[in-house]
Amino acid sequence: MRGIYAAGVLDAFIEEGLYPSLAFGTSAGSLMTANFLTGDYQGAKRTVLAMAADKEFMAARNFVKTGGLFDFQYLFDVAPERLGFSKEKLMASPCRFYAVATELENGCSALFEKSDHDFWTGIAASCSLPLLCRPVEARGNHYLDGGVVSPIALREALSMQEGPLLVISTQARGYRKKARAPRASSLMNRLFASYPKVIDYMRHPEKVYNSLFDELDSLNDKGDLLAIYPSKSIAIKATERDPEVLNAIYALGHADAKSEMKNILCFLSKTRTDRI
C-alpha cells in the first residue's frame, strides 16, 4: 500500500511524457511500474485503492485459499477487466521492465522481464511479503518479496544502466531499519529453515536495507543519479484500507514529483537523452 506514493510520482512523469527505456520494480513498485508503462494516468492509483477495498484480494480467509493474505491470481485474472488495466499496452511498451523478487534457494535477487512467460508469477513473487504470503513457485525454485535482498533495485539498475538513472524511494531520506525483535527473529528461523541462504536477510533486514540506502544517498549527492524521496515520513500499514490515508500519500508523491520536476528535467537534459 505504500507503493501508492510511487503512483503519484509516476503520474507526474506521465503528465510530462517521461517514459523509461529500462525500468525495475521491487515489491509494490513492480505493480506501480506495470501500470505506469501502460500510460494510463491514475491507473496505478486505482489499482491500489481497488486492492485495499477488495475483500477477495486481501482477506484473512485467503490463508486457507492461497496460503497468504493476498490472492494475486484473482488480481491478475479478474481485477484488470474492472480496473481497465491493459496487459496489451504494457507488453507493447518499448521499455524493458523487470520485476525483482528474492530467490529463496540461492539467497539472491531474481529478475522477471515482462516478455518472460512467467512474468506475472514474478510480479506476484515480487509483492509476496514474508509472513503474509507463502513462497511463490517458478523456474523450479521458490520466491518471495524482492525487498528481502533488494529493497530497491539500485544495483540491478546500475549493472544494466543505459541512460540517466532516476530512483523513487517510498521512505523519506534518512529512514533506516532496526534489527528485528528476538521473537520475530526466532520466528523467521523456524519458517525459513529450509532456505539457509536467506535466513540472515530475514532475521536482519537492516543490514541489506541500510547499506543499500547509504549507497543510494551517496550516489544521489554526487549527482550520479537522481533520487526522489518523500518530503515527509509516511506512516502506513501494509494492509491499509482507508482511502483517505491512501489518497493523501498519493497526493504527496504527485506533489513531491511536481516540485522536483525542474530538477528532474535538468538532470535528464545533462545527458542529452530523455531515457530513464
Side-chain angles (χ1 to χ4, degrees):
M1 295 305 160
R2 178 182 296 278
I4 201 167
Y5 175 84
V9 174
L10 292 169
D11 274 344
F13 287 3
I14 290 177
E15 290 172 336
E16 294 289 335
L18 294 177
Y19 290 94
S21 62
L22 176 65
F24 299 83
T26 295
S27 197
S30 61
L31 276 177
M32 301 303 98
T33 307
N35 277 273
F36 164 59
L37 293 176
T38 69
D40 182 11
Y41 185 72
Q42 294 196 344
K45 175 186 177 183
R46 290 198 305 274
T47 296
V48 176
L49 292 174
M51 288 190 299
D54 198 322
K55 299 298 179 64
E56 290 294 323
F57 170 69
M58 183 169 60
R61 65 175 177 271
N62 284 337
F63 279 100
V64 176
K65 179 181 177 183
T66 69
L69 182 67
F70 311 113
D71 186 346
F72 289 106
Q73 193 69 40
Y74 167 79
L75 176 65
F76 299 147
D77 292 347
V78 178
E81 294 183 10
R82 190 170 74 247
L83 296 172
F85 176 79
S86 173
K87 292 183 179 179
E88 292 75 19
K89 287 183 178 179
L90 171 61
M91 296 306 163
S93 166
C95 175
R96 289 186 295 131
F97 168 43
Y98 297 87
V100 184
T102 296
E103 186 177 312
L104 300 183
E105 282 81 2
N106 295 320
C108 61
S109 64
L111 302 180
F112 292 81
E113 207 269 335
K114 71 179 175 72
S115 62
D116 294 344
H117 74 279
D118 54 2
F119 171 68
W120 293 104
T121 302
I123 289 271
S126 182
C127 298
S128 292
L129 299 171
L131 302 184
L132 294 182
C133 301
R134 69 180 178 186
V136 174
E137 294 186 39
R139 302 174 180 177
N141 287 312
H142 298 82
Y143 301 84
L144 277 175
D145 191 307
V148 174
V149 297
S150 187
I152 199 162
L154 176 61
R155 288 161 189 165
E156 292 84 355
L158 289 171
S159 70
M160 299 170 64
Q161 186 176 0
E162 56 186 37
L165 182 59
L166 296 183
V167 179
I168 302 171
S169 170
T170 59
Q171 292 282 12
R173 177 162 181 163
Y175 172 83
R176 295 294 184 269
K177 287 185 178 291
K178 298 179 180 179
R180 290 190 188 277
R183 182 176 296 180
S185 182
S186 177
L187 178 60
M188 290 294 184
N189 271 341
R190 294 198 301 272
L191 291 176
F192 297 99
S194 299
Y195 307 108
K197 292 187 178 180
V198 296
I199 284 180
D200 194 51
Y201 296 119
M202 296 289 191
R203 294 177 60 237
H204 296 284
E206 77 282 1
K207 290 182 179 179
V208 63
Y209 186 97
N210 294 353
S211 64
L212 191 62
F213 276 80
D214 285 346
E215 182 179 357
L216 175 65
D217 291 349
S218 176
L219 291 171
N220 179 71
D221 291 344
K222 290 189 292 185
D224 293 336
L225 57 77
L226 184 62
I228 300 170
Y229 307 89
S231 55
K232 60 182 181 180
S233 298
I234 297 174
I236 186 173
K237 299 178 293 185
T239 56
E240 182 62 65
R241 292 189 184 274
D242 188 335
E244 289 189 13
V245 172
L246 294 168
N247 275 304
I249 295 172
Y250 168 86
L252 177 66
H254 189 260
D256 285 349
K258 296 294 282 187
S259 68
E260 287 293 315
M261 192 56 66
K262 287 184 178 179
N263 290 335
I264 292 169
L265 295 175
C266 180
F267 175 74
L268 295 176
S269 69
K270 289 178 181 178
T271 61
R272 300 182 182 179
T273 176
D274 61 358
R275 296 185 304 167
I276 306 172

mmCIF file of all heavy atoms in Angstrom, residues 72 102 104-105 112 120-128 133-139 141-145:
data_model
loop_
_atom_site.group_PDB
_atom_site.id
_atom_site.type_symbol
_atom_site.label_atom_id
_atom_site.label_comp_id
_atom_site.label_asym_id
_atom_site.label_seq_id
_atom_site.Cartn_x
_atom_site.Cartn_y
_atom_site.Cartn_z
ATOM 1 N N PHE A 72 -3.165 -13.117 -5.557
ATOM 2 C CA PHE A 72 -2.639 -12.474 -6.758
ATOM 3 C C PHE A 72 -3.244 -13.052 -8.028
ATOM 4 O O PHE A 72 -3.357 -12.358 -9.034
ATOM 5 C CB PHE A 72 -1.113 -12.588 -6.789
ATOM 6 C CG PHE A 72 -0.431 -11.726 -5.764
ATOM 7 C CD1 PHE A 72 0.143 -12.281 -4.631
ATOM 8 C CD2 PHE A 72 -0.397 -10.351 -5.910
ATOM 9 C CE1 PHE A 72 0.755 -11.487 -3.686
ATOM 10 C CE2 PHE A 72 0.211 -9.541 -4.963
ATOM 11 C CZ PHE A 72 0.791 -10.111 -3.848
ATOM 12 N N THR A 102 12.976 -12.226 -4.665
ATOM 13 C CA THR A 102 14.062 -12.887 -3.935
ATOM 14 C C THR A 102 13.978 -14.391 -4.158
ATOM 15 O O THR A 102 12.936 -15.002 -3.875
ATOM 16 C CB THR A 102 13.969 -12.597 -2.431
ATOM 17 O OG1 THR A 102 14.154 -11.202 -2.193
ATOM 18 C CG2 THR A 102 15.032 -13.370 -1.658
ATOM 19 N N LEU A 104 14.725 -17.833 -2.925
ATOM 20 C CA LEU A 104 14.990 -18.322 -1.579
ATOM 21 C C LEU A 104 16.113 -19.354 -1.529
ATOM 22 O O LEU A 104 16.904 -19.375 -0.582
ATOM 23 C CB LEU A 104 13.713 -18.915 -0.976
ATOM 24 C CG LEU A 104 12.530 -17.945 -0.836
ATOM 25 C CD1 LEU A 104 11.357 -18.638 -0.164
ATOM 26 C CD2 LEU A 104 12.928 -16.702 -0.053
ATOM 27 N N GLU A 105 16.191 -20.219 -2.539
ATOM 28 C CA GLU A 105 17.217 -21.256 -2.514
ATOM 29 C C GLU A 105 18.621 -20.667 -2.571
ATOM 30 O O GLU A 105 19.539 -21.154 -1.891
ATOM 31 C CB GLU A 105 17.028 -22.227 -3.681
ATOM 32 C CG GLU A 105 15.919 -23.256 -3.478
ATOM 33 C CD GLU A 105 14.532 -22.709 -3.770
ATOM 34 O OE1 GLU A 105 14.428 -21.517 -4.166
ATOM 35 O OE2 GLU A 105 13.556 -23.441 -3.595
ATOM 36 N N PHE A 112 12.417 -10.892 -13.358
ATOM 37 C CA PHE A 112 11.393 -11.407 -14.253
ATOM 38 C C PHE A 112 11.075 -10.304 -15.263
ATOM 39 O O PHE A 112 10.491 -9.282 -14.904
ATOM 40 C CB PHE A 112 10.139 -11.800 -13.474
ATOM 41 C CG PHE A 112 10.323 -13.001 -12.579
ATOM 42 C CD1 PHE A 112 10.919 -12.871 -11.321
ATOM 43 C CD2 PHE A 112 9.898 -14.258 -12.983
ATOM 44 C CE1 PHE A 112 11.088 -13.976 -10.486
ATOM 45 C CE2 PHE A 112 10.060 -15.373 -12.156
ATOM 46 C CZ PHE A 112 10.662 -15.227 -10.921
ATOM 47 N N TRP A 120 4.059 -12.677 -14.818
ATOM 48 C CA TRP A 120 3.046 -12.354 -13.807
ATOM 49 C C TRP A 120 3.269 -13.149 -12.535
ATOM 50 O O TRP A 120 2.978 -12.669 -11.432
ATOM 51 C CB TRP A 120 1.641 -12.565 -14.374
ATOM 52 C CG TRP A 120 1.351 -11.569 -15.446
ATOM 53 C CD1 TRP A 120 1.345 -11.786 -16.797
ATOM 54 C CD2 TRP A 120 1.116 -10.165 -15.266
ATOM 55 N NE1 TRP A 120 1.103 -10.604 -17.475
ATOM 56 C CE2 TRP A 120 0.952 -9.607 -16.565
ATOM 57 C CE3 TRP A 120 1.024 -9.338 -14.153
ATOM 58 C CZ2 TRP A 120 0.705 -8.247 -16.754
ATOM 59 C CZ3 TRP A 120 0.771 -7.987 -14.343
ATOM 60 C CH2 TRP A 120 0.614 -7.455 -15.639
ATOM 61 N N THR A 121 3.816 -14.345 -12.668
ATOM 62 C CA THR A 121 4.233 -15.084 -11.477
ATOM 63 C C THR A 121 5.340 -14.319 -10.761
ATOM 64 O O THR A 121 5.377 -14.248 -9.530
ATOM 65 C CB THR A 121 4.730 -16.487 -11.861
ATOM 66 O OG1 THR A 121 3.702 -17.180 -12.550
ATOM 67 C CG2 THR A 121 5.138 -17.288 -10.628
ATOM 68 N N GLY A 122 6.245 -13.733 -11.540
ATOM 69 C CA GLY A 122 7.313 -12.926 -10.971
ATOM 70 C C GLY A 122 6.796 -11.693 -10.254
ATOM 71 O O GLY A 122 7.322 -11.319 -9.193
ATOM 72 N N ILE A 123 5.781 -11.045 -10.816
ATOM 73 C CA ILE A 123 5.164 -9.892 -10.148
ATOM 74 C C ILE A 123 4.585 -10.328 -8.796
ATOM 75 O O ILE A 123 4.771 -9.656 -7.767
ATOM 76 C CB ILE A 123 4.058 -9.281 -11.019
ATOM 77 C CG1 ILE A 123 4.654 -8.560 -12.230
ATOM 78 C CG2 ILE A 123 3.194 -8.330 -10.201
ATOM 79 C CD1 ILE A 123 5.001 -7.116 -12.015
ATOM 80 N N ALA A 124 3.872 -11.461 -8.806
ATOM 81 C CA ALA A 124 3.301 -11.964 -7.556
ATOM 82 C C ALA A 124 4.400 -12.250 -6.547
ATOM 83 O O ALA A 124 4.276 -11.926 -5.357
ATOM 84 C CB ALA A 124 2.479 -13.220 -7.829
ATOM 85 N N ALA A 125 5.498 -12.868 -7.009
ATOM 86 C CA ALA A 125 6.619 -13.153 -6.115
ATOM 87 C C ALA A 125 7.214 -11.863 -5.571
ATOM 88 O O ALA A 125 7.517 -11.750 -4.377
ATOM 89 C CB ALA A 125 7.678 -13.957 -6.856
ATOM 90 N N SER A 126 7.396 -10.879 -6.436
ATOM 91 C CA SER A 126 7.991 -9.605 -6.044
ATOM 92 C C SER A 126 7.198 -8.940 -4.922
ATOM 93 O O SER A 126 7.765 -8.261 -4.074
ATOM 94 C CB SER A 126 8.068 -8.672 -7.256
ATOM 95 O OG SER A 126 8.683 -7.445 -6.925
ATOM 96 N N CYS A 127 5.875 -9.155 -4.912
ATOM 97 C CA CYS A 127 4.993 -8.499 -3.946
ATOM 98 C C CYS A 127 4.646 -9.367 -2.743
ATOM 99 O O CYS A 127 3.883 -8.931 -1.876
ATOM 100 C CB CYS A 127 3.696 -8.094 -4.634
ATOM 101 S SG CYS A 127 3.870 -6.905 -5.969
ATOM 102 N N SER A 128 5.159 -10.595 -2.689
ATOM 103 C CA SER A 128 4.758 -11.539 -1.649
ATOM 104 C C SER A 128 5.566 -11.321 -0.374
ATOM 105 O O SER A 128 6.699 -11.788 -0.249
ATOM 106 C CB SER A 128 4.915 -12.975 -2.150
ATOM 107 O OG SER A 128 3.973 -13.250 -3.168
ATOM 108 N N CYS A 133 2.599 -14.014 3.116
ATOM 109 C CA CYS A 133 2.419 -14.779 1.884
ATOM 110 C C CYS A 133 3.289 -16.034 1.919
ATOM 111 O O CYS A 133 4.354 -16.033 2.532
ATOM 112 C CB CYS A 133 2.819 -13.955 0.647
ATOM 113 S SG CYS A 133 1.895 -12.418 0.445
ATOM 114 N N ARG A 134 2.848 -17.058 1.247
ATOM 115 C CA ARG A 134 3.693 -18.233 1.119
ATOM 116 C C ARG A 134 4.611 -18.033 -0.089
ATOM 117 O O ARG A 134 4.294 -17.253 -1.002
ATOM 118 C CB ARG A 134 2.853 -19.494 0.940
ATOM 119 C CG ARG A 134 2.110 -19.586 -0.397
ATOM 120 C CD ARG A 134 1.316 -20.871 -0.471
ATOM 121 N NE ARG A 134 0.562 -20.955 -1.729
ATOM 122 C CZ ARG A 134 -0.311 -21.926 -2.002
ATOM 123 N NH1 ARG A 134 -0.540 -22.876 -1.106
ATOM 124 N NH2 ARG A 134 -0.957 -21.940 -3.157
ATOM 125 N N PRO A 135 5.735 -18.737 -0.127
ATOM 126 C CA PRO A 135 6.637 -18.612 -1.272
ATOM 127 C C PRO A 135 5.946 -18.970 -2.585
ATOM 128 O O PRO A 135 5.089 -19.856 -2.642
ATOM 129 C CB PRO A 135 7.756 -19.602 -0.937
ATOM 130 C CG PRO A 135 7.755 -19.674 0.549
ATOM 131 C CD PRO A 135 6.307 -19.586 0.942
ATOM 132 N N VAL A 136 6.321 -18.262 -3.631
ATOM 133 C CA VAL A 136 5.780 -18.481 -4.971
ATOM 134 C C VAL A 136 6.720 -19.403 -5.744
ATOM 135 O O VAL A 136 7.937 -19.188 -5.750
ATOM 136 C CB VAL A 136 5.621 -17.139 -5.705
ATOM 137 C CG1 VAL A 136 5.198 -17.356 -7.158
ATOM 138 C CG2 VAL A 136 4.611 -16.252 -4.980
ATOM 139 N N GLU A 137 6.168 -20.415 -6.379
ATOM 140 C CA GLU A 137 6.976 -21.359 -7.148
ATOM 141 C C GLU A 137 7.104 -20.899 -8.593
ATOM 142 O O GLU A 137 6.111 -20.540 -9.233
ATOM 143 C CB GLU A 137 6.365 -22.756 -7.098
ATOM 144 C CG GLU A 137 6.376 -23.387 -5.719
ATOM 145 C CD GLU A 137 5.887 -24.819 -5.735
ATOM 146 O OE1 GLU A 137 6.227 -25.551 -6.701
ATOM 147 O OE2 GLU A 137 5.167 -25.208 -4.805
ATOM 148 N N ALA A 138 8.333 -20.911 -9.113
ATOM 149 C CA ALA A 138 8.603 -20.574 -10.515
ATOM 150 C C ALA A 138 10.008 -21.036 -10.853
ATOM 151 O O ALA A 138 10.891 -21.057 -9.984
ATOM 152 C CB ALA A 138 8.473 -19.067 -10.747
ATOM 153 N N ARG A 139 10.208 -21.432 -12.086
ATOM 154 C CA ARG A 139 11.543 -21.783 -12.580
ATOM 155 C C ARG A 139 12.222 -22.860 -11.723
ATOM 156 O O ARG A 139 13.443 -22.892 -11.593
ATOM 157 C CB ARG A 139 12.430 -20.535 -12.641
ATOM 158 C CG ARG A 139 11.869 -19.415 -13.510
ATOM 159 C CD ARG A 139 12.718 -18.150 -13.409
ATOM 160 N NE ARG A 139 12.178 -17.087 -14.248
ATOM 161 C CZ ARG A 139 12.676 -15.852 -14.310
ATOM 162 N NH1 ARG A 139 13.741 -15.533 -13.570
ATOM 163 N NH2 ARG A 139 12.148 -14.948 -15.097
ATOM 164 N N ASN A 141 12.199 -23.063 -8.534
ATOM 165 C CA ASN A 141 12.627 -22.545 -7.238
ATOM 166 C C ASN A 141 11.466 -21.838 -6.543
ATOM 167 O O ASN A 141 10.335 -21.828 -7.053
ATOM 168 C CB ASN A 141 13.814 -21.588 -7.406
ATOM 169 C CG ASN A 141 15.109 -22.313 -7.736
ATOM 170 O OD1 ASN A 141 15.454 -23.293 -7.092
ATOM 171 N ND2 ASN A 141 15.810 -21.849 -8.752
ATOM 172 N N HIS A 142 11.755 -21.243 -5.413
ATOM 173 C CA HIS A 142 10.741 -20.550 -4.628
ATOM 174 C C HIS A 142 11.166 -19.096 -4.416
ATOM 175 O O HIS A 142 12.354 -18.818 -4.223
ATOM 176 C CB HIS A 142 10.529 -21.241 -3.279
ATOM 177 C CG HIS A 142 10.027 -22.640 -3.406
ATOM 178 N ND1 HIS A 142 10.868 -23.710 -3.657
ATOM 179 C CD2 HIS A 142 8.758 -23.144 -3.341
ATOM 180 C CE1 HIS A 142 10.143 -24.822 -3.732
ATOM 181 N NE2 HIS A 142 8.874 -24.510 -3.545
ATOM 182 N N TYR A 143 10.171 -18.204 -4.438
ATOM 183 C CA TYR A 143 10.464 -16.772 -4.409
ATOM 184 C C TYR A 143 9.543 -16.047 -3.435
ATOM 185 O O TYR A 143 8.405 -16.443 -3.199
ATOM 186 C CB TYR A 143 10.288 -16.163 -5.806
ATOM 187 C CG TYR A 143 11.167 -16.774 -6.861
ATOM 188 C CD1 TYR A 143 10.782 -17.943 -7.518
ATOM 189 C CD2 TYR A 143 12.397 -16.209 -7.189
ATOM 190 C CE1 TYR A 143 11.595 -18.517 -8.478
ATOM 191 C CE2 TYR A 143 13.215 -16.777 -8.151
ATOM 192 C CZ TYR A 143 12.806 -17.938 -8.791
ATOM 193 O OH TYR A 143 13.617 -18.513 -9.744
ATOM 194 N N LEU A 144 10.073 -14.936 -2.898
ATOM 195 C CA LEU A 144 9.290 -14.014 -2.088
ATOM 196 C C LEU A 144 9.649 -12.577 -2.479
ATOM 197 O O LEU A 144 10.440 -12.345 -3.398
ATOM 198 C CB LEU A 144 9.538 -14.253 -0.596
ATOM 199 C CG LEU A 144 8.746 -15.383 0.079
ATOM 200 C CD1 LEU A 144 9.202 -15.565 1.523
ATOM 201 C CD2 LEU A 144 7.242 -15.120 0.028
ATOM 202 N N ASP A 145 9.092 -11.660 -1.741
ATOM 203 C CA ASP A 145 9.265 -10.220 -1.965
ATOM 204 C C ASP A 145 10.720 -9.863 -2.287
ATOM 205 O O ASP A 145 11.645 -10.246 -1.566
ATOM 206 C CB ASP A 145 8.833 -9.494 -0.691
ATOM 207 C CG ASP A 145 8.698 -7.999 -0.868
ATOM 208 O OD1 ASP A 145 9.658 -7.370 -1.344
ATOM 209 O OD2 ASP A 145 7.644 -7.457 -0.521
#
